[in-house]
């Protein structure tokens, strides 16, 4: 608190006043208002620890002579250091009449205290003393403002729930997930009678934060202790949605008291992430009347956003499901992950209950602050048979959980998280996105009807601010996920990555090249059980299929233009993959959705696209190793032409291609390798609070 804060003080010539003054502030007394009638002059005396000044400054008057009293004469009083004892300093004002006869004397007995509510406002992991910027937030490397994490992990592993949903601190280790706030005081052993310190927050902020403190629970009364059961290991709850204001102890002498601030919810449409916590010194007026605040110190926290991780970041562990029919897929994934040197975690059938779509159920991200960082899984509102996996299997110590609940009728296939991706870092027209940009799929902007990602999820994603989302058109697909036509892979040059796009045009170009080279009778799906082989000539002669792929290419091109514009990409940053699609009739249903009103007439269903053969863009990226759906394309000289083209395109970037057979267990069920897997990755080195 700076000395620019002046507190109005009333002088009384009848009764000596006992006043507490906070170092760094001053008292402001209107001398004329307090003067006895007929007063014309005044003088001021004080003890050594007291400083004062008068405005307007007296002119040509000896310091021993009384000063003329003007209608606007104001006395400013401050103190240089904290008192050792109560009322150990003194200031007096004498008033005089026309002939300088004494008319009255106002006496202030002063007690000086230092009070500072401190946080890590410069974001270096240390709570510095009285940072002048602690009461505001500013983005950027030269910014300021403290950071608090949503305490969404669980120190408990039995009957667990997120720590922020518990009414106490179950383990001292939980404190490291909270932000330290320190109350520093210096002054006499106790405050003058009736004065007290109180910490308080607004009702709005109380929904988003709680404050605990270290120390003995005996300082709080029995009613609170019994009502909230808040004392665990000596860390009583100070502020919450039920307790907006709480007296905190004044310890006396030179003292520090630690408080622990816990975030309860992420930024969202109705919450900008900013929280203020106040500490006030209250002054008594008289018995039976409420105290009044005479000093308030304020600190501001911003809740850390949830951050997604792109394919270019280093993997930590890979997640897949084991089902009764995905042995081939699982075998390929095990080999790929082992070769890449990462951990593979298999969700067994008794947990997944036949739901194999690991990508669709959840998205991995993390939260970060100067003092703590941990992964946080975002659980989709899809809620298939895997719905318990993120909570039951992932939530734990230093592994957080967050979800957004939507009305079941509002949830569509577009709410599965194959429809949620994030780009690597980009620069767009000079604007930096060092954490990349979130990408979601929605209905076409001009569509009168169509499927969209549910509003509660979109609101959550936009509110995080640090990865400004991009909306693509994905409702043209039967399943409707952006990962069906795009992904990112690391690259050693240009922007550090390439955008891979599915391209029917590239597919037809490849097949025509095969035909021109005399391979028109080479067959797709050759040797695949229960699949009718198709020759290159048959594909190229299918005019209906060509028309359908022209439509698909136009949809992808629309997204291509959006991605180029929103990510600042050139054509050289994009690689087209030879993938064909076909249109089928019907709208993708969640597999656990029940038919409603069977007697109701079937609504007219639209044609939407699915991959004609395994969709190679729907891959898993593990460093330089790519796990790609095995396309079962036409063989030339014993080698699949689609695999050969894919290897040619990727190996130029130093990437290794592994083709995984997912045909029966995923492709036939309208998904691929990416849909059936998920990757937790290392966080960004870049700190989100340094975002310009």
């Amino acid at each position: 608190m700076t000395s620019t804060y002046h507190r109005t003080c009333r002088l009384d010539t009848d009764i000596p006043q006992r006043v507490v003054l906070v170092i760094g502030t001053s008292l402001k007394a209107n001398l004329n208002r307090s003067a006895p009638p007929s007063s014309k002059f005044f003088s001021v005396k004080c003890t050594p620890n007291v400083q004062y000044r008068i405005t307007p400054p007296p002119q040509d008057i000896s310091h021993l002579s009384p000063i003329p009293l003007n209608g606007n004469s104001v006395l400013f009083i401050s103190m240089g250091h904290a008192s050792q004892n109560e009322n150990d300093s003194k200031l007096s004002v004498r008033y005089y009449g026309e002939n300088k006869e004494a008319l009255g004397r106002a006496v202030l007995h002063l007690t000086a205290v230092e009070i500072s509510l401190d946080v890590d406002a410069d974001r270096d992991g240390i709570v510095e003393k009285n940072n002048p910027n602690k009461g505001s937030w500013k983005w950027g490397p030269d910014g300021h403002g403290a950071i608090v994490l949503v305490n969404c992990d669980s120190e408990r592993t039995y009957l667990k729930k997120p720590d922020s949903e518990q009414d106490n601190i179950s383990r001292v280790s939980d404190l490291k997930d909270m932000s330290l706030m320190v109350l520093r005081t210096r002054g006499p052993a106790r405050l003058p009678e009736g004065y007290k310190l109180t910490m308080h927050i607004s009702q709005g902020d109380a929904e988003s934060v709680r404050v605990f403190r270290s120390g003995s629970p005996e300082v709080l009364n029995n009613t609170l202790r019994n009502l909230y059961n808040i004392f665990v290991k000596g860390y009583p709850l100070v502020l919450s949605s039920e307790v907006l204001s709480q007296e905190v102890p004044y310890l006396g002498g030179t003292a520090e008291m630690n408080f622990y601030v816990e975030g309860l919810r992420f930024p969202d449409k109705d919450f900008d992430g900013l929280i203020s916590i106040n500490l006030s010194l209250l002054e008594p007026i008289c018995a039976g009347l409420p105290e009044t605040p005479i000093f308030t110190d304020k600190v501001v926290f911003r809740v850390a956003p949830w951050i997604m991780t792109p394919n270019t970041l280093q993997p930590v562990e890979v997640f897949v499901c084991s089902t009764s029919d995905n042995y081939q897929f699982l075998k390929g994934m095990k080999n790929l992950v082992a070769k890449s040197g990462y951990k593979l975690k298999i969700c067994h059938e008794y947990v997944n209950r036949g739901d194999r779509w690991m990508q669709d159920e959840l998205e991995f991200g993390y939260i970060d602050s100067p003092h703590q960082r941990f992964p946080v899984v975002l659980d989709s509102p899809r809620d298939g048979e895997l719905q318990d996996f993120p909570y039951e299997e992932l939530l734990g110590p230093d592994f957080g959980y967050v979800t957004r609940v939507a009305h079941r009728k509002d949830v569509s296939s577009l709410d599965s998280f194959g429809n949620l991706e994030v780009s690597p870092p980009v620069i767009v027209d000079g604007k930096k996105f060092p954490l990349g940009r979130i990408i979601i799929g929605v209905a076409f902007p001009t569509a009168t009807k169509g499927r969209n990602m549910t509003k509660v999820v979109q609101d959550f994603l936009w509110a995080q601010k640090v990865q400004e989302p991009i909306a693509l058109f994905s409702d043209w697909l039967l399943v409707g996920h952006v990962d069906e036509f795009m992904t990112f892979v690391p690259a050693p040059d240009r922007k550090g990555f390439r955008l891979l796009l599915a391209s029917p045009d590239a597919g037809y170009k490849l097949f025509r090249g095969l035909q021109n080279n005399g391979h028109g009778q080479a067959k797709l799906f050759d040797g695949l059980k229960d699949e009718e082989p198709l020759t290159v000539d048959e594909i190229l002669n299918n005019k209906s299929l060509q028309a359908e792929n022209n439509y698909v290419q136009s949809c992808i091109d629309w997204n291509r233009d959006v991605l180029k514009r929103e990510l600042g990409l050139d054509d050289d940053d994009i690689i087209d993959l030879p993938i064909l699609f076909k249109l089928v009739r019907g709208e993708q249903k969640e597999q656990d959705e029940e038919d409603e009103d069977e007697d109701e007439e079937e609504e007219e269903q639209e044609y939407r696209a699915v991959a004609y053969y395994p969709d190679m863009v729907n891959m898993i990226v593990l460093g330089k190793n790519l796990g790609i759906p095995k396309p079962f394309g036409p063989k030339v000289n014993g080698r699949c032409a689609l695999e050969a083209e894919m290897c040619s395109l990727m190996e130029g970037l130093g990437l290794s291609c592994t083709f995984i057979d997912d045909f029966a267990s995923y492709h036939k069920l309208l998904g691929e390798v990416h849909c059936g897997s998920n990757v937790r990755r290392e966080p960004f080195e870049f700190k989100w609070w340094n975002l310009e």
Side-chain angles (χ1 to χ4, degrees), residues 546-562:
Q546 173 76 69
E548 292 172 7
N549 276 280
N550 289 344
Y551 164 72
V552 167
Q553 187 66 61
S554 71
C555 294
I556 294 174
D557 284 344
W558 191 90
N559 289 311
R560 181 192 188 100
D561 292 339
V562 172

Side-chain angles (χ1 to χ4, degrees), residues 346-411:
I346 299 174
C347 175
H348 294 285
E349 197 161 11
Y350 70 89
V351 175
N352 66 53
R353 295 175 291 188
D355 186 352
R356 68 197 68 214
W357 308 112
M358 182 62 78
Q359 182 67 223
D360 289 338
E361 184 59 42
L362 58 96
E363 188 68 53
F364 287 109
Y366 69 96
I367 56 177
D368 194 10
S369 73
H371 65 277
Q372 172 71 318
R373 179 176 71 191
F374 56 80
V376 176
V377 59
L378 175 62
D379 191 359
S380 88
R382 161 186 184 264
D383 287 347
E385 295 300 321
L386 266 171
Q387 63 177 313
D388 295 334
F389 176 77
Y391 194 95
E392 297 297 337
E393 303 296 325
L394 297 178
L395 172 63
D398 294 332
F399 207 122
Y401 172 92
V402 63
T403 190
R404 283 297 174 267
V405 178
H407 293 298
R408 190 66 192 150
K409 64 181 179 60
D410 296 331
V411 176

Side-chain angles (χ1 to χ4, degrees), residues 545-592:
L545 183 65
Q546 173 76 69
E548 292 172 7
N549 276 280
N550 289 344
Y551 164 72
V552 167
Q553 187 66 61
S554 71
C555 294
I556 294 174
D557 284 344
W558 191 90
N559 289 311
R560 181 192 188 100
D561 292 339
V562 172
L563 288 164
K564 286 175 66 176
R565 180 174 66 251
E566 297 293 338
L567 296 178
L569 304 181
D570 301 319
D571 284 325
D572 288 343
D573 297 313
I574 302 172
I575 296 176
D576 292 316
L577 304 185
I579 298 164
L580 300 187
F581 292 80
K582 61 183 177 181
L583 297 186
V584 297
R585 193 165 184 169
E587 182 177 341
Q588 170 71 4
K589 302 284 187 183
E590 294 298 328
Q591 61 184 14
D592 62 346

Side-chain angles (χ1 to χ4, degrees), residues 116-186:
S116 177
L117 187 62
D118 292 327
V119 293
D120 179 18
D122 59 4
R123 307 167 188 162
D124 63 354
I126 299 170
V127 176
E128 64 276 8
K129 184 174 182 180
N130 217 12
N131 188 308
N133 297 315
K134 65 186 179 182
S136 61
W137 172 271
K138 180 184 175 184
W139 292 89
D142 61 342
H144 57 259
I147 294 163
V148 63
L149 300 175
V150 176
N151 193 12
C152 58
D153 67 338
S154 177
E155 297 300 313
R156 282 168 46 178
T157 53
Y158 177 69
L159 294 176
K160 65 183 175 183
K161 55 184 175 180
D163 293 330
S164 57
E165 295 180 11
Q166 299 204 96
D167 57 4
N168 53 42
I169 295 174
S170 61
R171 289 183 172 83
V172 177
S173 56
D174 192 26
L175 296 176
K176 70 181 185 297
D177 300 330
M178 304 182 191
S179 294
L180 180 62
M181 180 171 67
V182 180
L183 172 58
R184 294 184 168 106
T185 55
R186 178 178 294 179

